[in-house]
Each structure stands twice: as C-alpha cells, then as structure tokens.
Amino acid sequence: MMKFRFRRQGADPQREKLKQELFAFNKTVEHGFPNQPSALAFDPELRIMAIGTRSGAVKIYGAPGVEFTGLHRDMATVTQMHFLPGQGRLLTLLDDSSLHLWEIVHQNGCAHLEEALSFQLPSRLGFDGASGPPTLAHITVVLLVAASNMAALGTEGGSVFFLDVSTLMLIEGQTLGPDEVLRSLPDDYRCGKALGPVESLQGHLRDPTKILIGYSRGLLVIWNQAAQCADCIFLGNQQLESLCWERSGSTLVSSHSDGSYAVWSVDTGSSPVMQPDVATVPYGPFPCKAISKILWRSCESGGGMPRASYGDRHCVSVLRAETLVTLDFTSRIIDFFTVHSTRPEDEFDEPQALAVLLEEELVVLDLQVPGWPVVPAPYLAPLHSSAITCSAHVANVPAKLWARIVSAGEQQSPQPASSALSWPITGGRSLAQEPSQRGLLLTGHEDGTVRFWDASGVALQPLYKLSTAGLFQTDCEHADSLAQATEDDWPPFRKVGCFDPYSDDPRLGVQKVALCKYTAQMVVAGTAGQVLVLELSDVPLEQAVSVASMDLLQDREGFTWKGHERLSPRTGPLPWPAGFQPRMLVQCLPPAAVTAVTLHTEWNLVAFGTSHGFGLFDYQRKSPVLARCTLHPNDSLAMEGPLSRVKSLKKSLRQSFRRIRKSRVSGKKRAANANSKLQEANAQLAEQACPHDLEMTPVQRRIEPRSADDSLSGVVRCLYFADTFLRDAAHHGPTMWAGTNSGSVFAYALEVPAATAGSEKRPERVVEAVLGKEVQLMHRAPVVAIAVLDGRGRPLPEPYEASQDLAQAPDMQGGHAVLIASEEQFKVFTLPKVSAKTKFKLTAHEGCRVRKVALATFASVACEDYAETCLACLTNLGDVHVFSVPGLRPQVHYSCIRKEDISGIASCVFTRHGQGFYLISPSEFERFSLSARNITEPLCSLDLSWPHGAARASYSLQESPKLSQANGTPGIVLAPQSRDGSPNPVHSQGADTPEPLEAVLSPMSIDSATSADTTLDTIGDITVEDVKDFLGTSEESERNLRNLVEDEARAGAILIK
C-alpha cells in the first residue's frame, strides 16, 4: 500500500526568516570604464571627477572606493557637466537642453548622489511682440558663477540667459541678446555676418560681475553685468572654438577652427581691439583641424592636427617653452582637465597632472616629471582594451600568491624613480571595511592575453597581464607604423593609452582559463585548440616550451576539418618575463576552439574539450592519457570552424525551422496515438509527484526531445575531476567526468600513482584511464556542469585544500552523489550505482533554460557560524534561481539581467561566496550579490563646504525604490523639483527593478550544509535560439554632437601653460 504525505498549507515562518538572513539580491557596483562617455567635469577643491554618458548616466569618482552613480530619467546624452567647487553639487546639461542639479548628500553617515532640481527651457519664452526675449533654440554652453550662485547659459541664437542655481529659475531682466552686443560694435563689423552661437563663456578672474563671451564668428566681449554694458571688445574674424584666461587675468587666449590660437591683451582701454598680440598655427602652414579646446597653465599651449596627412588621429598637443609633444590616442577625445593650484595667493598654476577622457579610456599624465609619464589608474581601467572573450573568478587567494602576482605586475610597468605623483583624484573617504579575503577576476581577451584584476573591493584594479602571443608565429606580426618614424617627423607624435581593439591573429583568442591558487599553476586554452600549462616564476627565464598534440578525432573517417589552421609555435629557447611562464603546450587536432578545461595540480593532469571530443594530458610526464571523440555521424557543422560563420548560421537557422515544422507535424499526429501520449504524460507527472510539488506546483510544459543528430551535439560543455566512488562502494579513487551538448556524461576511473610521503610529486609512472560509467540524459539536453557531493551532501574541496588543511576533509564514509546540471533540469545520482535520487525540472516548471550554474556558500547575517551551500543558476531569461543542495529545493529567484541581453547572460560568472559579475557593455562589469551578508558596495563620505547663506534645494522626499541605472546598477533617486516648485513625477520602479524577495516554492527543511563550496565551470554558448529575439532590435543611432567639449578650465582638450 502506497502512502502519500501531504504538507500543511502555508510556508514555514522559521524557514522564511532564515532565507531572509541568507539571501538578498543587490546590484552593487559597476566595474570598468563607462560605456560611451560624453562629458567630463572636475572639482579642484574636493578633488572629485564626474563622467556623463550618452545613456544619461552620471558617475562621480574620488579616491579608490569613492563612487557615486545617478541616472537621468530621460535617456538623453549628457553634453556638459559643471561642479560648484567645494559644494558637492553638479549641474548637468542634456542634449534636449534640459538642466539638472545633482547634490551629494549624507544620510546615516554615508554619502549618495541625488537629483535635486530639473529645468527645461522653453523654445520661446512667454512674451509677445518684437521686444520680447529672443528665441531659445539650443543651449550651447554653461558657465557657473559660484560666488553669486548663478549660471549663465549661452545659446545657438547668440543670447545669454541667467539662472538662479538654487532654484533653477530664470533671473528676470538679466537676459543678454545679440542685439545689445551689436550696438557696441563698429559699423563695419556689425554689417558683416551674424555673430552666430555663443561658443564660450568664462568668468572674469578679477571681477566676478563680469563675464567673457565668445561668439562663433570670432567676436570676444567682456560684459559688465552690473552696468549692462561691454567693457572690452575683441574683433576676431576666425571661427571661434574655445577661450581661456591666463592666471593673472590680464591676458586671454582663443582657439579657432583653422588650427590656430591667438593671445589677446585685456588692458588696452575701452576701444575695440582689432588684432591679437600673438596669432599662430602650431602645425601650419598646412590646413589643420580645429583646436576644439585650449587651456593656459603658466606657459603651455596646444594646437590642431594637419588635416591632410593626420586627419584620422586623436591628439592633444602640449607646448611648454620650446618643447612640443603631440599625444596620440587610440580613441576619440571627449574632454580633459588639468590638476593645478587654485589658491589665489599662488602666482603660478603649477599643473601637476593632465587627465584626458577618451571614448574608450581615461589617461592621466604626470606633468611634473620630464617625459610626462602615464600615472597608473586605480580604477576606470579599460577592460575592453582587447575584447573580452571569457572570464573566471578565484576567491580566497593566499597572501603569498597575491604578493607574487602584484610583484610580477609591477615589473611589467615600472614607474620612474623621480615620479612622486600618485593618483590625483583623491576626494572623499571610503568607509567600507577592508575585504576579509582577496578575490581575483581573470579576463581572457581576443589578443591572447589574460588580465588579472583585484576584485576584492569596489575599485577593480589591474594587477598583472599575461600574454600568450609570444609563443606563436602569428599571421601578421604587430608593427606600429609610428615605430618606424624618424626623429625628423613632424608633428612629434607620442603614442599614449592602452586601448587596442585590434588582434594580431584571431586564433590567439583566449576561450578558457583555470588557475590553481595553491600551486600557482594555470591553464589557458584558445581559439585554435591550443592548451597552455603555465607556472608562476618570480624571475625572468629563457627556456624552450615542450609541445605535444592530441588527435581528438581518433582517425575517424568521413570528417574533414574546414576551419582555420593551428598556430605555429616558436622553436628553441624563448625569453619569458617574470610572471606566469608556459611550461607545456598541448595542441588539439583538429584545431577547433577549446570549449571546456579543468586542471588538477595534485595529480598533474589537465583535461580539455572541443566540439570534437575531449582529451586528458599528464603534464608531469608530458604524455597523453586519453582522447575520446564525441562526434555524431551527422556532426558536419563541427568540422567547419568559426571562420565559416555565414554558412553555419544559415544551416543552424534551417535546422531550427525544421525542428519547428517537425514539432507541428508531430502535434497533428498526436491525436492518432492519444493513448500512448497520455500514458507518457502521466508517467512524467508521476515522476514529479513528490511532496514538495503538491503545493503551488505550476503546470508543467511539454519539452520536445532533442534529436540525436543535431549539429554540434559533440561539443564538450564541462569537465570535472573528483576523488570519489565509481567502481564500487568500498574503494574511492581519482575520476574524470565529461558532459556534452547531446546530454551524454562520461565518467572515467583514473589510475594515478600516489605521491610518496614527504614528496609533492608523484612517481613517474603512466596514468591510466578506464571508462567507468556512461549516462545519457533522456531529453538529450546539454550538460552545463557536474559536481560530486560527499557523504554529508557537500561539494568536494579543490586540489590541495584538504591535504593542506585549508578546508574540511570530505566525508568518504557515507555514500557519494553526483549532481548533473543540464540546460533543462538538475539531477542528483547516487554513486557508484548512478541511480536517480532527486531532480528538479527547471524548464518544465519555469519555461527557461539553464545558462550558468555554480555552487556557492551563503553565510547568515544573524549568525556568523551558520552558512549553507546552495546551487545558483542563471537562465536564458536573465533570472537567477537558488536551490538547496542536495535536496534541489527552490529557495529564491530574482530578475537579474534583461532577457534580450544575451551577451550579458553569456558573460556571467559566479563567485564562491554568492556574488557574480556580468558584462553590461564591452567595457563594464556589473557586480551583483545574492548573499545577504557578502555585499561589495561603495560606502563613502565627502567633506562639503557650503557658502554662507546657501540653502540646500528642497526635495520631494518620496524616496523611490532602487531604480535601474543606465546599465543596471541601482541607485536611490529622489523626485526632483521642477521650475515651479512642484515635484516632477519619478517612476517608482525602473524597467529592470528587481522583484521583492520571494521563494518560488515553499521549501522544506534544508539539508545539512557547510561553508565548503565549488564553482562549476560552464560555457554560455550563444545559440540561434538565443539570438531570435535579439535580431529584431535596432541599433542605437549615433547622434552628431556639435560641441562635446567646452572651454572651461576644469575640462579640456588641449593643454596650454
């Protein structure tokens, strides 16, 4: 007689409370360089910098760990940004001519960024008649007059409006139209062409009641606001680009569209000045590009580039006395500023640093040292200096290994001994505690490099760069055309910046990386089937690299590789700098991209897989152990390689449509054999009829079994080493597991000679591999990950963790189990019998497919000693689910990534402590946390100085939930006041606002768990099905920004001293 135990209705309140102490979803910080920057500002008093983007994001940076993020409600481009010095207030101008005032405010001891006020100037002010104010078409320039808490707005129509910053309301009676200026001009100048838009506004250094106005035609006017008249007039005729004062206020400099600049003397009386004191074209007499921005710091100057021969370059020129240097950047210049003395008592500016914001990176130069070296940036590093192809996270890095990696990185970029300048943007204080453990983020790149990043805190700092290109002879040896330049070349170019998106050879691309943190050994696998085993060395060495090849086809007939050739390794001893140096190169044949890799340093074994099969290599004896072909007879697509992408895509689309038609046909035939199908459905429901499914179980979806002859069914998706029971329940030993795209799992028993007591290396005997088990999943869903659980249901420790007492030894007395995660379900099998124990059909319940999984430790915020090991899963819909282990009971789920963001989903990587990273743009990682205790977020403060009598803008304190930022980071935004004082509506939730904490299913009591955990390596291949929804979206249109940069002293484009 069968007994059914029904659970009582309602959730367990004790378990619900425990879940709130374990799990919480937060998007915490964005690492990397802002995508599509469009504006720059610098506060010289607070030493903080702001960057605006085309998506409307505002990011403020100070000292490492001091970061603030805000987002305009409208997805408009930020064209200008201006700080009120020392006040922590920022005025932004968008391309729709709207103004927004942001303030850094302190609450509960921490500072955060809030939008206080917003203001939209109308196209025509509310006056009738010809005597009314002029039409306002578009704001071209903004000047903040901090002393009077006022802002001047220059427009395309040539008018200047004045705004009260504290209320963002126009000051009546102060508007300056072009007609008033024309009355002060000589008749012959007035009768010419129109003055044009206001190109530049500068405050007067001696008298705060005066402003310097520059018009596009070339006219310069010093306007007296108090007397409402022009004090000085400079009759320029060359199209104006920017203006800047000399420190004393007696001289000003103007830059023009023909690549020239002119110096004007102010102390010349009231008569109009016809000619400048000095006018020169630095790169003449050839036609030159415009000098879009000029700064004068003591005795420096800048110029445009000759249009004829260097029109495609992005340059900033620095002139000091007779020394001229042309800084040549690899991406477009957005803006720049100098860090210099702003104290009135100082006679000179004494510039310390030049910060240049480019479209793809931020470069800071030390101006106090001859040669002006680049200052290493502690954050805002361009992650995409070469396109990111893979990533991995290593938690709890030992202090010794960390110090060795940092040392190797310092040897790569030694700083001049005379350079005493550290990072000049030092505003604010970070209140975050020192991280309890060190975390490494590894990124593989298209140019064959692997970069090591310090991911322990808020600031993602570069530590070390490993390059694998030196081992191979590439198709086109990288040679910069400027390297052959002679000393007589003009202009004197100097290459600056590290953004280099071009790869010497696409075959160098890194596909998989794995690092053993206890032995400092790692494996790097690439696009052309190359598998490199490397070891960390503290000193440079010159040595030859052993090379071996493995044929994964095993002489199978009927398959011909049509893809790229293998990379040719260099022969003989090669010089290797300090750092990770290659010891062994294993070449897979055919040379297809490596899709999975794993390393076991205790056994000296490396396993790797491609679309053709998998191999096992003994890198101690430098000999192959095993090669297994996983190709199906119809896997012809796997032989074409990535270079046959068009043909592959067409074939994949054809096969997708065939599957659709096949499913429709099978639907029509379903009525003929209704009885058999009904029995099959009942059998599936019976499998699911376990106690936790009897409550709130959603209707299961029908899943079409995948055909065995689908293309790319032989792709190896995951590899795993484990010391477990495979042959019988009495003897455990080394095993290797492999999962494929067709739902096949191969388990091999390994004969690894045991190391003798007191010796780290094992004997030089042959390692043998014997196939122990072979499992075929019913629906043939791709196997995403495999992990073995010990007798207590905990993941096995990493190599050397247990033997060096760095983790609790696994329970080898009770029965082991293996967790197999496919794209459709999770299933736990007992070992060694491999009989099903528990499972959860995610696709049937939720209608989604698994993309990434990892085992992670979730520590309780209420009890320091309590933690649970759970399974974190990311689906193709962008949702994150958490399951108990080994019970596979759903705990919580959250909406994390937009389902249309297939590249973000494919790039996601989980950490061992419940955090994760994914790419929100080619240059930015979004960091998120699933743990209620382990959260890495900016906590900082600023010392603000408000002027006497200044009132903070009033807020409508309807604090909304964390809004979804431009790229996903949440931030608190308050409802800003409009011009008339009424609060503007603020959406309570953004499009990607995470749902409240909730469990999908009410779980039963959790199984025993500890803090031991294992991260499962997965590959998120983008398939045709993933691309379906994405193909219909249109690309963001490029806006033609007429003036991205303005001539404020704190933002720049060309340096002058």
Side-chain angles (χ1 to χ4, degrees), residues 516-697:
C516 176
K517 58 190 177 185
Y518 303 113
T519 60
Q521 294 178 349
M522 70 179 300
V523 57
V524 177
T527 303
Q530 69 271 26
V531 180
L532 270 173
V533 179
L534 306 101
E535 189 171 359
L536 182 61
S537 174
D538 299 325
V539 295
L541 292 176
E542 183 171 341
Q543 62 180 5
V545 178
S546 302
V547 180
S549 60
M550 291 189 67
D551 182 11
L552 299 183
L553 288 182
Q554 295 293 289
D555 300 326
R556 185 174 294 194
E557 297 180 356
F559 290 96
T560 303
W561 173 248
K562 304 174 185 177
H564 48 246
E565 297 294 326
R566 58 181 289 183
L567 284 165
S568 300
R570 300 180 188 272
T571 58
L574 299 173
W576 303 105
F580 281 93
Q581 300 169 349
R583 297 288 187 263
M584 188 75 210
L585 168 64
V586 184
Q587 178 64 54
C588 299
L589 297 176
V594 177
T595 57
V597 75
T598 186
L599 178 70
H600 201 294
T601 53
E602 204 166 356
W603 303 336
N604 293 318
L605 296 176
V606 58
F608 43 86
T610 69
S611 56
H612 307 125
F614 55 89
L616 179 63
F617 193 86
D618 180 355
Y619 61 86
Q620 177 180 320
R621 298 187 69 254
K622 300 179 181 180
S623 63
V625 177
L626 167 71
R628 171 72 182 253
C629 181
T630 56
L631 284 178
H632 188 272
N634 292 336
D635 271 351
S636 58
L637 186 60
M639 304 306 296
E640 296 180 1
L643 300 185
S644 304
R645 185 58 57 202
V646 176
K647 184 190 296 184
S648 302
L649 184 59
K650 288 181 179 179
K651 185 170 183 179
S652 298
L653 288 171
R654 279 199 306 269
Q655 292 174 344
S656 298
F657 286 123
R658 286 172 182 169
R659 281 197 294 269
I660 294 173
R661 287 197 298 267
K662 181 179 178 182
S663 63
R664 289 173 179 171
V665 172
S666 63
K668 295 177 182 178
K669 296 179 179 178
R670 201 167 290 141
N673 53 354
N675 291 334
S676 61
K677 294 298 181 181
L678 183 61
Q679 293 174 3
E680 179 182 347
N682 289 335
Q684 290 184 359
L685 290 174
E687 288 181 2
Q688 293 295 316
C690 53
H692 70 276
D693 286 327
L694 296 178
E695 177 185 305
M696 297 174 60
T697 302

Side-chain angles (χ1 to χ4, degrees), residues 729-751:
H731 304 89
H732 63 86
T735 61
M736 185 193 76
W737 301 72
T740 72
N741 230 23
S742 60
S744 299
V745 177
F746 304 94
Y748 284 84
L750 307 179
E751 290 289 344

Side-chain angles (χ1 to χ4, degrees), residues 131-455:
S131 60
T135 299
L136 178 66
H138 184 72
I139 299 177
T140 56
V141 63
V142 177
L143 168 66
L144 281 180
V145 185
S148 57
N149 206 33
M150 182 180 67
L153 311 177
T155 68
E156 279 188 349
S159 302
V160 179
F161 296 86
F162 294 90
L163 202 68
D164 185 350
V165 175
S166 60
T167 60
L168 282 195
M169 298 181 66
L170 286 177
I171 302 175
E172 297 183 3
Q174 296 281 338
T175 301
L176 173 62
D179 293 340
E180 297 180 57
V181 177
L182 285 172
R183 298 191 194 105
S184 306
L185 303 180
D187 292 341
D188 56 344
Y189 194 91
R190 188 190 313 169
C191 296
K193 59 183 179 180
L195 298 181
V198 178
E199 289 291 345
S200 181
L201 291 173
Q202 296 287 330
H204 198 287
L205 299 185
R206 296 177 177 177
D207 189 347
T209 64
K210 301 177 182 180
I211 61 173
L212 172 63
I213 307 173
Y215 295 91
S216 178
R217 177 177 171 182
L219 175 69
L220 312 181
V221 177
I222 296 180
W223 185 261
N224 190 325
Q225 273 290 96
Q228 290 291 300
C229 65
D231 272 8
C232 294
I233 297 175
F234 307 91
L235 303 178
N237 288 301
Q238 195 61 249
Q239 182 177 336
L240 182 70
E241 292 289 334
S242 71
L243 286 172
C244 183
W245 284 100
E246 187 266 334
R247 184 179 180 88
S248 65
S250 61
T251 311
L252 60 92
V253 61
S254 61
S255 68
H256 303 276
S257 61
D258 63 346
S260 66
Y261 68 88
V263 180
W264 307 79
S265 178
V266 176
D267 301 324
T268 56
S270 59
S271 60
V273 179
M274 305 297 294
Q275 296 293 333
D277 297 346
V278 177
T280 181
V281 181
Y283 298 105
F286 306 104
C288 293
K289 292 172 68 176
I291 303 176
S292 58
K293 183 69 183 264
I294 194 163
L295 293 184
W296 192 340
R297 300 290 179 254
S298 296
C299 46
E300 295 178 44
S301 176
M305 298 310 307
R307 187 181 293 121
S309 53
Y310 300 107
D312 59 340
R313 296 190 182 276
H314 314 286
C315 299
V316 170
S317 302
V318 184
L319 176 63
R320 181 170 187 171
E322 300 300 324
T323 304
L324 174 63
V325 174
T326 304
L327 305 174
D328 185 13
F329 299 97
T330 56
S331 59
R332 187 169 61 91
I333 298 164
I334 303 299
D335 209 343
F336 76 86
F337 61 83
T338 58
V339 179
H340 60 277
S341 172
T342 57
R343 294 177 298 183
E345 61 270 18
D346 291 341
E347 183 180 357
F348 300 104
D349 292 310
E350 295 297 337
Q352 304 168 11
L354 167 66
V356 184
L357 175 65
L358 308 168
E359 199 168 39
E360 306 293 353
E361 61 182 317
L362 178 76
V363 176
V364 177
L365 300 175
D366 185 351
L367 299 180
Q368 297 176 316
V369 177
W372 301 326
V374 175
V375 181
Y379 49 79
L380 286 177
L383 302 174
H384 63 317
S385 52
S386 175
I388 296 177
T389 51
C390 68
S391 56
H393 185 270
V394 183
N396 298 325
V397 179
K400 184 177 180 180
L401 174 62
W402 188 271
R404 295 177 66 189
I405 293 175
V406 171
S407 175
E410 291 174 347
Q411 294 181 51
Q412 286 182 331
S413 55
Q415 293 301 304
S418 58
S419 177
L421 180 67
S422 58
W423 185 247
I425 304 164
T426 57
R429 300 186 310 274
S430 176
L431 305 179
Q433 297 180 350
E434 285 294 321
S436 57
Q437 56 92 18
R438 299 174 180 87
L440 270 179
L441 182 64
L442 310 180
T443 56
H445 297 264
E446 193 177 41
D447 61 355
T449 59
V450 178
R451 287 171 167 83
F452 291 63
W453 308 89
D454 179 2

